[in-house]
Amino acid sequence: MINDSFEFSSDDDSDNSPHDMEGNNSDLESGFADMNGVSLNSYGGVTSSAYSQMQIDLDRQHLLGNRNHVVESVIADGLEGLEHQERYERLLHRAQIEDLTEVSGIGCLYQSGVDRLGRPVVVFCGKWFPAHNIDLEKALLYLIKLLDPIVKGDYVIAYFHTLTSTNNYPSLHWLREVYSILPYKYKKNLKAFYIVHPTFWTKMMTWWFTTFMAPAIKAKVHSLPGVEHLYSAISKDQLEIPAYITEYDMTINGLHYFTPMPTQS
């Protein structure tokens, strides 16, 4: 299950070639027959030496087969990784030259200061993301444009689910596509993903997504019932969020409901 509480910390997260197979070519002798290198005695049984040789040959074939399979797998993974990297580079180039004001003007995704360990904080306001009335390709390009320089080092994300509706939910297919496109550095350098004001639906979907699609970040996801819980990780003066979030927070949680205890780095 997704963490409902969190501990704030500065985590980091030549072979020898087998011999060629050789057959056994022995002279014909009385009572024996040579058949493809396997000697048969007069009773039709296999001699112990021939049997041993046959086992060695089979083992060699097995080893060769495994090695070839590993080599093919490495080549396939390398080519697939190269294709993903090239695709990302093309998207990054487009993100840098195309007009993305349609997305940036919404204000749903932005950087807001740093956390208590000096790591950039990326804020995402779910209520302001018009999932069904926006060009999702441009949304992806804007995401890449904003995050590419940030994810070169450690960073954290604060997602506010406050007052969102079904109109703000992108499809799981799109989320999976985005996750598969983003390079490894996005996952590796993400140190925490905070979900503020989660609902039962959010918790279930997050559990499903991090279990079956993005297990690499599962331990980094923390569901928080209120904004003030973030202050243990992020100073209040570093967190710029819309007024509707703090107003809603006071409505459901009251005033000063949590005293942050920041962990020293």
Side-chain angles (χ1 to χ4, degrees), residues 28 59 61 66 94-95 113 146 177 194-195 199 218 264:
L28 293 175
D59 289 342
Q61 293 182 52
N66 284 346
R94 289 181 54 195
L146 177 70
E177 181 72 10
Y194 304 110
I195 302 177
T199 61
K218 186 169 187 175
Q264 298 297 322

Side-chain angles (χ1 to χ4, degrees), residues 1 20 41 56 61 65-66 79 106 117 124 137 169 173 177 181 200 249:
M1 293 296 292
D20 294 334
N41 61 21
I56 292 173
Q61 293 182 52
N66 284 346
L79 291 175
I106 297 173
L117 294 180
F124 183 74
E137 185 174 16
Y169 303 157
H173 173 77
E177 181 72 10
I181 288 173
F200 176 77
D249 193 67

Side-chain angles (χ1 to χ4, degrees), residues 88 92 109 111 119-122 143-157 181-191:
Y88 177 77
L92 177 60
L109 181 68
Q111 181 184 347
R119 304 177 296 198
V121 177
V122 177
L143 173 72
I144 291 174
K145 180 178 181 178
L146 177 70
L147 292 186
D148 185 77
I150 295 176
V151 301
K152 294 176 181 178
D154 295 347
Y155 71 105
V156 301
I157 294 177
I181 288 173
L182 300 180
Y184 176 63
K185 62 183 178 180
Y186 280 76
K187 297 93 169 178
K188 175 180 179 295
N189 293 332
L190 174 64
K191 297 307 175 184

Side-chain angles (χ1 to χ4, degrees), residues 15-39:
D15 297 332
N16 296 324
S17 300
H19 298 295
D20 294 334
M21 293 192 300
E22 299 175 353
N24 295 327
N25 295 319
S26 59
D27 295 331
L28 293 175
E29 296 180 1
S30 175
F32 290 86
D34 184 9
M35 182 175 65
N36 292 331
V38 180
S39 299

